[in-house]
Amino acid sequence: MSWWLDITDLDEDQKNVIDLPPTGDYLFLGPPGSGKTNLLLIRAEYLIRTKYPNLFVLMFNEPLHDFVVRGGVLYDVPAAKIRKMLSWELVLLRENGVLLKDLPEDDLDAKRKALAKKVLELLDTNPKLENHLECLLVDEVQDCFPEEVEVFFRCAKHVCFAGDNRQRIFSSHSVIPAIQERVKTIELKTHYRIGHEICRAADVVGEAAGFSSILDTCNYNDAESKVQFSCCSTDEEQINKIVEALTVQLTAYPDELLAVVGPRKRDRDFLREQLEASALAPLILPHRSSGSDDPNQRIYVAHLLEIKGLEFRTIHLALMQHIHRLRENQKRIAYTAITRAKTTVSVYFTGKIPGYLEQAQVAVEPPKPRPPLEDLFPKKKKGRK
Amino acid sequence: MDKYSAEKLSTELLGKTIGGWLIEKYINHGKSAVVFLASKDAQRAAFKVFDPEIVDRYGRDAQRKRIERERSLIGKSHPNLVSVYDGGEQRDFLFVVMEYFDGKNLAEVLLDIPPSEFRSLISQIASAAKFLEEASLAHRDIKPENIGISSDMKSAKLLDFGVLRPFDLSNITNEGDQLYFIGTLQYSPPELLFREEEQSIEAWRAITFYQLGAVLHDLLMQKPLFEEFRNPYARLVRAVEKEIPLIDNPEADADLRLLAQNCLAKTPGHRLDTVKWEDFCQPKVADPMEAARRRIAQHRVAALQSSEAPISPGDLLGTQIFTLKTLIFSAVVSTIKTESFPRYSMTEMNKELHQYLLRVLFEPSEKSGLGCYFAVYCQGVVVDPTANFHELRTWACVSSTREAVPAEPESSAPSRTVKGALIEQDIRLHIQGCLLLAYAGALDTAVKGTGAVQWLKLGRDE
């Protein structure tokens, strides 16, 4: 994560966040790369150093948790204070003697809702747990269920959320408006992590999902960015192209994470299998880890739901002909995936991609010559003279 | 005139005295005249006798007027122009006597000239052409063969005084004529070829600029313009009419390259729009990084051009506006980055197919000492897609509030413009310059009142 180390690195909006009093409930709302997660950690550190150390920073899932814990040391927030949302709930329930036998293990959404319900029941029967924490700081709050948000409000005296409606990848209904009615919103407009060309492509996809532009407020300040589309004739060709590109990128971007991502779990498994059979095998990070103690392991292989909140120098979005299978969430997921990259997004597909991605391709590629008029009419059948 | 007529005239004149000049030696002949070495009172000179046949064909009075024009230069001298000593008429012969230049011409020494001299040589030739214009004359046959080069390669002299009259394709009757014409046609703008030129100082200047551009092309590219189209003749005609010469020598200075490219525009109006006399005498801007960037950019342009299949004008417009937009955008972003500009937001507008406008709005920043909002507007227009002719225009304004900054520049606001066959490097330099001027201007300006907009002047220009 691109950490700031110095207060002069902050812009006016970010300084407004730093200047907030230690008490109060807040939501930091801003586009990808606007520094929400960093601000959340800076606020956590600020609270710990003043007189409110009884807090937790909650991360949405394992890869993100892993990612932040690895970077979090820079801010002196103890790793023990940074938790995955679900494991924090589980620990709270266990510590208070709640049995957890009947959780729906194979449906994540149902499991999360059930857990939140149990915590709320616990709070009802155990009033001393109401507001037992000074503060809960929650990242990626746009993907929380209303029950979970309720848990946060009730467990802590104060809450501090970070989120972005555009990056919602799970539920189709947003909790953000309801949160905004209860807390003070601090809007972060400018963002710094994502290259302009990537913003341009993301905006096209985002427009189809009703989002406002991120190109307008982009202040990215690094190598020129690029979005490219490769239409392949087979999935193997996709793999070959990815391996070829990664080989160059590993050298071009030392010490940085590079991602290979497929739409679904089975796509991820296929990609992992293929890449592990290539020369790049030793450089691939273990399953579901976004970091490793081996500095050579820098290739993160995942499916689209496993990259939220993360950032990569380059991202290869492979097997994208299958993205339509993510149905009503697909545009927001594609949007989130594109905005994970700082410098390069490569989209690979065999056959066809949905119209909103084709539109993004048109926005970043030079126009193609118009086909001759006769080509637009149905062809005569082959063999007929 | 053909060789036979030239020989006939030589035999007739050698050893004779005309107008007090003793004809000593044949030097060469051109379309309309034979040049001899002559002397008078120990002064040596080039003695040009017009072909009596041509004089008859076009009318003696017209030729007398022409000689009068050349005589008007007697006593006026310019270091880069041969001096005229005398001129007149004796018996059937119309003649002009000029300074004798004993040396090689540019066509002969093209490959020997060090690149460091290009800038100075073209400015010398241009200065001679301008001198002629000020005397209400136009050379109309500026080409490497008519430019004498000193033995140290440092100075140039414009020789001869052009063609007897604008040549006319319909006059080309035989092979000999054709061969002679090739040399001149190769360096003639399309309007001369089709005899569509107007008789005005601007029209003459447009011709002069084209020919100066052609000479500059030869220097930069180290080969004659349209060399590859010389045969057959019809191909050369087509090239003059349609072919846009590619000036992509990576070693060439960007400003000279653009100057030559703009001079060689097919439409006289484009030339006059983009080229000024001063452009021929600009000092070199030395920056090795600039040079490296230029090489990269030009290689890219060259690669693109060589791989391009012919495309329809509509597609051409689409491709060019996309490229223009991409280049403007990337030049803005990279300048902001390298020069550490304050925080900004951008708005893009494609009002029409051939037009792109980018507004960049910068916010006040204590750290930078910037007390107001300032906006820079960069507009790219594809003026003529087939000629690769683009216009880039920039405006800047300051205001105390974000809301007051307009979405588009006011029509009366001052701007800075660059036009022509722009490549990445030209766009980058223009935008870099304008952004820096605008930023410095914004820092210097004390913003008056709330919500008022003040437009900034971006250096020279409109």
Side-chain angles (χ1 to χ4, degrees):
Chain A
M1 194 163 285
S2 352
W3 298 102
W4 313 294
L5 298 170
D6 183 340
I7 190 141
T8 59
D9 289 344
L10 302 178
D11 71 32
E12 298 303 314
D13 296 341
Q14 293 165 340
K15 276 187 195 144
N16 290 340
V17 171
I18 304 287
D19 291 342
L20 292 173
T23 54
D25 299 327
Y26 305 101
L27 166 65
F28 307 154
L29 204 57
S34 56
K36 298 181 299 288
T37 307
N38 284 9
L39 288 169
L40 210 60
L41 289 164
I42 289 180
R43 182 153 180 86
E45 187 178 349
Y46 169 66
L47 293 176
I48 292 168
R49 286 209 199 171
T50 46
K51 45 184 180 175
Y52 308 95
N54 185 18
L55 58 78
F56 284 109
V57 182
L58 300 185
M59 293 291 146
F60 196 81
N61 59 16
E62 171 119 34
L64 185 56
H65 174 259
D66 204 31
F67 197 64
V68 169
V69 168
R70 279 173 193 282
V73 289
L74 284 171
Y75 283 115
D76 286 340
V77 180
K81 297 263 181 214
I82 305 174
R83 296 282 183 84
K84 281 171 284 180
M85 196 174 77
L86 290 195
S87 61
W88 169 75
E89 285 176 324
L90 284 167
V91 169
L92 181 67
L93 289 167
R94 280 206 198 97
E95 281 175 352
N96 289 281
V98 180
L99 293 171
L100 295 166
K101 273 188 276 180
D102 49 350
L103 287 176
E105 284 299 335
D106 42 356
D107 180 344
L108 183 65
D109 284 6
K111 181 181 172 185
R112 282 170 54 193
K113 284 183 185 168
L115 264 178
K117 204 169 151 239
K118 280 190 184 291
V119 177
L120 292 173
E121 284 165 10
L122 173 68
L123 289 164
D124 287 342
T125 56
N126 201 342
K128 77 177 187 300
L129 286 174
E130 293 271 352
N131 300 336
H132 73 282
L133 295 169
E134 282 302 328
C135 190
L136 269 175
L137 302 102
V138 186
D139 201 8
E140 304 281 333
V141 75
Q142 72 274 3
D143 279 316
C144 291
F145 292 117
E147 299 88 318
E148 292 170 328
V149 173
E150 200 50 39
V151 166
F152 307 144
F153 274 111
R154 286 182 62 181
C155 283
K157 289 198 185 89
H158 297 293
V159 290
C160 184
F161 299 133
D164 176 16
N165 239 343
R166 286 172 280 223
Q167 297 175 63
R168 200 148 42 83
I169 64 171
F170 288 107
S171 86
S172 319
H173 298 286
S174 172
V175 292
I176 299 267
I179 291 175
Q180 284 184 287
E181 283 176 18
R182 300 172 70 175
V183 307
K184 183 174 164 41
T185 303
I186 315 277
E187 215 174 320
L188 302 160
K189 291 180 287 292
T190 311
H191 65 96
Y192 303 87
R193 186 188 70 212
I194 308 161
H196 292 89
E197 277 309 286
I198 297 176
C199 292
R200 192 186 293 281
D203 274 354
V204 174
V205 176
E207 198 184 3
F211 302 156
S212 57
S213 164
I214 56 168
L215 179 61
D216 292 2
T217 54
C218 175
N219 275 232
Y220 172 82
N221 205 1
D222 211 328
E224 244 177 85
S225 69
K226 192 164 66 178
V227 179
Q228 51 203 17
F229 289 80
S230 295
C231 177
C232 300
S233 44
T234 61
D235 293 352
E236 285 67 32
E237 187 189 340
Q238 294 191 31
I239 303 289
N240 292 340
K241 283 191 174 170
I242 293 169
V243 170
E244 198 180 311
L246 279 174
T247 311
V248 176
Q249 289 167 354
L250 283 161
T251 320
Y253 307 113
D255 314 323
E256 300 212 54
L257 269 186
L258 313 173
V260 180
V261 183
R264 305 161 298 174
K265 279 192 184 124
R266 53 185 294 189
D267 301 323
R268 171 199 64 196
D269 296 342
F270 173 77
L271 290 169
R272 178 170 279 279
E273 188 185 305
Q274 296 286 316
L275 289 171
E276 281 178 347
S278 78
L280 300 177
L283 313 177
I284 299 170
L285 281 161
H287 184 56
R288 282 184 73 77
S289 299
S290 58
S292 152
D293 295 333
D294 176 357
N296 288 324
Q297 293 185 339
R298 293 194 283 126
I299 301 173
Y300 180 64
V301 183
H303 66 74
L304 286 172
L305 299 183
E306 290 173 328
I307 54 171
K308 68 182 275 89
L310 303 183
E311 60 184 55
F312 308 97
R313 178 52 68 180
T314 71
I315 188 165
H316 298 268
L317 300 173
L319 306 172
M320 288 296 273
Q321 68 269 24
H322 299 310
I323 191 171
H324 67 275
R325 295 188 190 263
L326 302 176
R327 282 181 260 181
E328 77 271 20
N329 292 331
Q330 59 174 305
K331 283 180 199 162
R332 280 184 280 110
I333 294 173
Y335 180 90
T336 307
I338 291 170
T339 55
R340 296 308 93 205
K342 300 187 222 178
T343 302
T344 313
V345 176
S346 309
V347 178
Y348 305 85
F349 55 100
T350 309
K352 257 190 85 64
I353 40 173
Y356 59 90
L357 283 180
E358 287 178 332
Q359 209 58 49
Q361 180 175 8
V362 169
V364 295
E365 282 182 0
K368 293 199 178 66
R370 260 170 288 187
L373 208 52
E374 55 267 31
D375 284 10
L376 298 177
F377 289 89
K379 302 275 179 306
K380 280 183 184 158
K381 282 201 180 109
K382 271 184 189 164
R384 204 199 285 171
K385 293 275 159 76
Chain B
M1 81 197 285
D2 58 32
K3 204 175 165 214
Y4 172 73
S5 315
E7 270 171 17
K8 194 173 145 227
L9 198 62
S10 298
T11 321
E12 192 180 339
L13 294 181
L14 279 173
K16 302 252 166 60
T17 302
I18 300 177
W21 294 85
L22 174 66
I23 313 289
E24 291 179 356
K25 195 181 147 192
Y26 163 86
I27 300 175
N28 61 24
H29 72 275
K31 160 72 182 163
S32 56
V34 182
V35 182
F36 298 97
L37 178 65
S39 62
K40 181 185 188 179
D41 308 331
Q43 186 178 31
R44 301 181 94 194
F47 191 98
K48 185 161 91 171
V49 184
F50 294 101
D51 179 358
E53 249 183 66
I54 296 225
V55 171
D56 286 343
R57 199 191 299 172
Y58 293 116
R60 187 162 282 265
D61 286 344
Q63 301 323 308
R64 282 190 183 122
K65 274 191 194 141
R66 183 190 145 80
I67 287 178
E68 271 318 299
R69 278 205 297 274
E70 296 197 10
R71 278 180 60 93
S72 70
L73 286 168
I74 298 174
K76 293 176 189 164
S77 76
H78 184 280
N80 305 110
L81 190 66
V82 288
S83 303
V84 178
Y85 297 148
D86 196 1
E89 187 174 354
Q90 186 175 325
R91 289 188 293 155
D92 281 347
F93 303 112
L94 290 167
F95 65 90
V96 173
V97 190
M98 293 169 297
E99 179 185 344
Y100 175 58
F101 179 83
D102 188 13
K104 298 252 165 89
N105 70 46
L106 179 57
E108 294 168 304
V109 297
L110 186 64
L111 298 178
D112 305 324
I113 295 180
S116 55
E117 299 300 328
F118 293 171
R119 193 174 289 270
S120 157
L121 291 176
I122 197 67
S123 86
Q124 294 175 38
I125 304 298
S127 132
K130 185 162 182 262
F131 172 83
L132 284 175
E133 184 184 283
E134 282 158 2
S136 301
L137 293 170
H139 192 289
R140 304 216 277 199
D141 197 19
I142 301 172
K143 59 181 179 180
E145 283 176 319
N146 280 342
I147 295 168
I149 299 290
S150 64
S151 55
D152 62 359
M153 307 283 169
K154 285 188 187 307
S155 51
K157 205 164 248 211
L158 190 51
L159 311 176
D160 208 344
F161 287 100
V163 287
L164 192 58
R165 41 171 301 170
F167 61 89
D168 181 347
L169 275 185
S170 62
N171 291 334
I172 298 174
T173 48
N174 61 51
E175 192 69 8
D177 267 1
Q178 278 199 12
L179 280 177
Y180 177 73
F181 264 125
I182 286 171
T184 293
L185 172 62
Q186 222 175 323
Y187 292 90
S188 293
E191 71 267 26
L192 265 191
L193 171 63
F194 298 105
R195 298 293 311 280
E196 282 164 350
E197 87 278 19
E198 292 167 33
Q199 298 303 325
S200 71
I201 192 157
E202 286 79 21
W204 289 354
R205 188 183 298 156
I207 295 169
T208 304
F209 283 173
Y210 182 94
Q211 295 184 328
L212 287 170
V215 171
L216 185 53
H217 164 280
D218 289 7
L219 286 169
L220 298 177
M221 295 303 291
Q222 296 283 287
K223 63 168 192 182
L225 182 66
F226 298 136
E227 184 184 41
E228 61 278 38
F229 297 97
R230 284 176 68 107
N231 285 306
Y233 186 74
R235 264 186 90 211
L236 182 58
V237 172
R238 213 192 106 77
V240 169
E241 185 191 0
K242 294 247 163 76
E243 194 66 31
I244 295 165
L246 178 61
I247 304 170
D248 59 354
N249 180 353
E251 300 299 328
D253 290 340
D255 59 334
L256 291 184
R257 189 211 60 80
L258 181 63
L259 176 59
Q261 198 85 61
N262 288 345
C263 283
L264 289 171
K266 300 294 183 199
T267 316
H270 285 175
R271 273 172 246 150
L272 295 171
D273 266 1
T274 53
V275 183
K276 301 275 167 285
W277 281 114
E278 308 84 84
D279 296 337
F280 294 96
C281 50
Q282 296 300 324
K284 181 183 169 78
V285 185
D287 178 352
M289 282 230 310
E290 233 25 87
R293 282 200 209 113
R294 183 162 61 223
R295 289 214 292 281
I296 293 164
Q298 296 197 339
H299 276 298
R300 195 174 309 151
V301 170
L304 267 179
Q305 299 213 354
S306 60
S307 66
E308 259 169 26
I311 46 177
S312 76
D315 292 335
L316 208 56
L317 176 63
T319 318
Q320 290 189 12
I321 196 72
F322 182 87
T323 311
L324 192 59
K325 167 180 151 175
T326 313
L327 291 178
I328 291 173
F329 194 93
S330 111
V332 166
V333 169
S334 78
T335 306
I336 290 175
K337 175 175 136 187
T338 46
E339 307 292 345
S340 303
F341 275 68
R343 188 155 75 128
Y344 62 97
S345 56
M346 296 199 285
T347 327
E348 289 184 300
M349 250 205 306
N350 285 302
K351 267 212 312 204
E352 284 168 71
L353 270 183
H354 65 282
Q355 199 175 326
Y356 168 76
L357 180 69
L358 176 65
R359 186 191 80 165
V360 195
L361 175 64
F362 296 92
E363 297 178 10
S365 153
E366 271 177 49
K367 205 161 85 177
S368 320
L370 178 67
C372 57
Y373 285 91
F374 87 94
V376 179
Y377 305 77
C378 300
Q379 179 184 269
V381 180
V382 175
V383 179
D384 181 350
T386 44
N388 234 324
F389 189 88
H390 304 159
E391 181 194 276
L392 182 57
R393 199 160 178 198
T394 309
W395 300 259
C397 70
V398 296
S399 175
S400 60
T401 62
R402 178 191 283 272
E403 293 68 33
V405 178
E408 289 177 65
E410 284 164 16
S411 55
S412 59
S415 66
R416 184 163 177 167
T417 311
V418 57
K419 283 190 260 193
L422 308 175
I423 61 162
E424 182 172 349
Q425 191 58 19
D426 308 318
I427 293 171
R428 202 173 278 275
L429 286 173
H430 174 85
I431 286 185
Q432 216 168 27
C434 288
L435 276 169
L436 285 172
L437 286 167
Y439 189 16
L443 288 167
D444 293 343
T445 308
V447 180
K448 288 166 235 147
T450 322
V453 173
Q454 280 170 258
W455 293 92
L456 301 175
K457 268 197 128 103
L458 299 172
R460 60 181 169 111
D461 219 304
E462 304 104 282

